[in-house]
Amino acid sequence: MPEPTPSPVPGPEPVPATGTPSWQARLAVRAFGLVPGALVTRVFTHPPRLRTPLVPRSLAARHDVATTEVGAGRVATVTPAGARDHVFYLHGGAYTLQAQHWPFLSRLLPHGYAVSLVDYPLAPEHTVDETLPMVREAWGLAVEAAADDGRPAPVLAGDSAGGGLSLALLQQLRDEGATMPRATVLLSPWVDAVMADAGTIAADRLDPLLSRRALHGAARLYAGPHGLDDPRISPGLADLSGLGRVLALVGTREVFWPQCERLAQQAAAAGGTDLELRVREGLPHDWALFPGLPEQRGLAAELVAWLAD
């Protein structure tokens, strides 16, 4: 059995990591470690643009699919028969890469959730100045649709950069006094693009795939003329009060582990935010999205149980 990963998080006692990584997860960590860092940086800063369907044909053949143009982006909503709830999902990919998230999102459909995948404007073609307003407009349309159908406000969710974008949207909704999600789920969220804290610098060596160098390159493209400490780009450094119920998940082989710990600590001190952090031992970045990992296969049921609690 592998030894638990020593915490790089200074300060208060971190959230205990749970579980033992599967052999598939350990193999993934090793395989990711073989990818040259320069290649990751190149892909993040010179992203390919693939001409692929926003929703796989296999899903479109079995469920109702609606695609809506919103500003410079699109929203694809897949609705199973008898859907009772709705997830509004912001995908990860360092703000530069296209979504490849349906293998995970499709696991929510049998639980009665419609899923809206937001195809938001990406860097380097666009910056936060176009992306966040488009996401805000799309959220408003989703809230209106839920009200028309007699459903509660959607669940807000996102992974990696999409987790940071979700937190930025959540803060904007709070500041506006607008309709908030009934709950928020952040998977391996990137909430601090500055990444200058001692914990993140130490965790840089733990992550087999991501690096501060590659992430900074992508973040600067997304930020455009703004600093990386802009609260829309680093919402984890902004006001965390009044955000409602939030679940965050992260693995101990992620460069984002320390900032998630800090997010939980600071949210606990803020009023009106009930943030639960779950840390998984030995899992790599965005482990929730890899269909070959046993840890991913049970995640949809875990999230549904948390939402129903």
Side-chain angles (χ1 to χ4, degrees), residues 58 96 195 283:
S58 59
T96 65
M195 298 181 291
L283 297 189

Side-chain angles (χ1 to χ4, degrees), residues 55-65 78-80 109:
V55 176
R57 293 184 179 88
S58 59
L59 284 181
R62 292 181 285 122
H63 303 288
D64 180 66
V65 175
V78 178
T79 304
L109 302 176

Side-chain angles (χ1 to χ4, degrees), residues 60-261:
R62 292 181 285 122
H63 303 288
D64 180 66
V65 175
T67 301
T68 305
E69 302 282 336
V70 182
R74 299 175 295 171
V75 179
T77 300
V78 178
T79 304
R84 304 177 303 277
D85 216 327
H86 186 188
V87 172
F88 183 88
Y89 197 86
L90 301 176
H91 69 86
Y95 298 111
T96 65
L97 300 179
Q98 294 166 285
Q100 306 290 331
H101 290 60
W102 283 112
F104 165 66
L105 295 177
S106 63
R107 294 182 181 274
L108 295 169
L109 302 176
H111 294 277
Y113 281 82
V115 177
S116 290
L117 176 63
V118 183
D119 183 28
Y120 54 81
L122 298 172
E125 297 92 336
H126 304 276
T127 71
V128 64
D129 291 325
E130 293 105 6
T131 299
L132 189 54
M134 178 268 160
V135 169
R136 173 63 183 90
E137 182 180 355
W139 171 259
L141 295 174
V143 168
E144 290 176 6
D148 290 344
D149 293 341
R151 297 200 301 255
V155 173
L156 174 61
D159 70 282
S160 195
L165 186 53
S166 295
L167 186 57
L169 173 62
L170 195 57
Q171 291 165 336
Q172 181 175 343
L173 296 174
R174 174 205 59 201
D175 293 345
E176 293 176 359
T179 300
M180 301 280 281
R182 72 174 187 86
T184 302
V185 176
L186 307 176
L187 305 174
S188 299
W190 183 17
V191 298
D192 173 8
V194 178
M195 298 181 291
D197 60 287
T200 298
I201 292 171
D204 204 7
R205 61 180 173 77
L206 296 176
D207 196 311
L209 183 61
L210 300 183
S211 69
R212 292 168 66 243
R213 179 179 181 182
L215 292 164
H216 276 151
R220 291 189 185 100
L221 294 174
Y222 178 62
H226 308 287
L228 297 186
D229 59 350
D230 187 297
R232 299 170 300 167
I233 301 158
S234 293
L237 305 181
D239 179 12
L240 298 177
S241 65
L243 301 180
R245 191 163 179 248
V246 182
L247 175 65
L249 295 94
V250 71
T252 63
R253 297 303 301 269
E254 299 196 48
V255 70
F256 299 148
W257 177 21
Q259 59 181 258
C260 288
E261 292 278 4

